[in-house]
């Protein structure tokens, strides 16, 4: 049985090192030393460095989903929900650039493909739900919600790719650009042109 506290120490150590040096330049030896566990313990818990990375990413995804659900529940307006989703998704990628880097470097891996599909699939579900709510509430015109959701996910991924290495000083500019993008999208979907 896996000791959850020890598992968290390993993942926290790995995240600290990945954030500082990247996933490619961080080895199991460094993670074991930082977590103050035997190298064998890491292999018993995760199987490999890739297992650590996958475990860390899955934990981050779970935390992101929990945090996002809470923030979405406090937003009443579907348009605000879309803004919350887009901002939180961007923050998720920007605050953990090692995830994006790992995905880029291992894009042909089946496990990486599955994780990306999981993230994008859940994002599509959320956007679809938000747009359906807006459509049902008469806030936006009749649209193919699934198709628009797919386009929005692709656009957000491009936006994330462009800004994933932005410095904290650039936060205001990134948020301004994101707000501009979302305004254009919502104006395009609005029942009343220019609303």
């Amino acid at each position: 049985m896996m000791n959850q506290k020890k598992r968290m120490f390993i993942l926290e150590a790995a995240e600290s090192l990945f954030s500082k040096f990247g996933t490619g330049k961080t080895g199991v030896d460094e993670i074991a030393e930082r977590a103050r566990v035997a190298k064998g313990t890491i292999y018993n818990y995760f199987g490999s460095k890739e297992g650590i990375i996958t475990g860390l990413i899955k934990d981050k995804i779970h935390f992101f989903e929990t945090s996002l659900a809470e923030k979405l529940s406090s937003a009443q307006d579907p348009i605000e929900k879309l803004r919350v989703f887009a901002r939180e998704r961007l923050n998720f990628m920007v605050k953990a650039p090692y995830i994006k880097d790992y995905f880029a470097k291992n894009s042909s891996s089946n496990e990486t493909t599955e994780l990306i599909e999981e993230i994008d699939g859940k994002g599509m579900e959320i956007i679809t739900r938000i747009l359906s709510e807006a459509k049902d509430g008469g806030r936006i015109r009749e649209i193919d919600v699934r198709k628009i959701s797919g386009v929005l996910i692709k656009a957000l991924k491009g936006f994330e790719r462009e800004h994933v290495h932005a410095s904290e000083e650039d936060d205001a500019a990134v948020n301004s650009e994101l707000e501009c993008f979302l305004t254009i999208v919502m104006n395009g979907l609005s029942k009343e042109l220019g609303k």
Side-chain angles (χ1 to χ4, degrees), residues 59-78:
D59 278 10
K60 291 293 176 190
I61 291 170
H62 177 72
F63 178 77
F64 166 71
E65 290 172 349
T66 303
S67 172
L68 179 63
E70 184 179 304
K71 289 177 181 176
L72 286 174
S73 69
S74 65
Q76 299 301 314
D77 179 63

Side-chain angles (χ1 to χ4, degrees), residues 175-190:
N175 284 327
S176 176
E177 287 178 18
L178 182 60
E179 187 60 35
C180 182
F181 166 71
L182 292 171
T183 299
I184 291 167
V185 168
M186 294 317 294
N187 282 345
L189 296 174
S190 178

Side-chain angles (χ1 to χ4, degrees), residues 81-132:
K81 286 182 181 184
L82 188 60
R83 284 186 175 106
V84 167
F85 171 78
R87 280 190 206 113
E88 291 303 311
R89 184 179 158 110
L90 178 64
N91 284 335
F92 173 71
M93 290 303 186
V94 169
K95 299 298 183 213
Y98 61 86
I99 293 175
K100 196 82 166 160
D101 288 341
Y102 179 76
F103 285 164
K105 291 176 183 165
N106 298 286
S107 60
S108 60
S109 152
N110 288 339
E111 195 160 22
T112 299
T113 302
E114 288 173 14
L115 283 170
I116 291 170
E117 287 174 357
E118 179 181 342
I119 292 169
D120 291 345
K122 289 179 180 186
M124 281 269 302
E125 288 174 19
I126 292 168
I127 291 175
T128 299
R129 202 168 39 245
I130 292 168
L131 292 178
S132 293

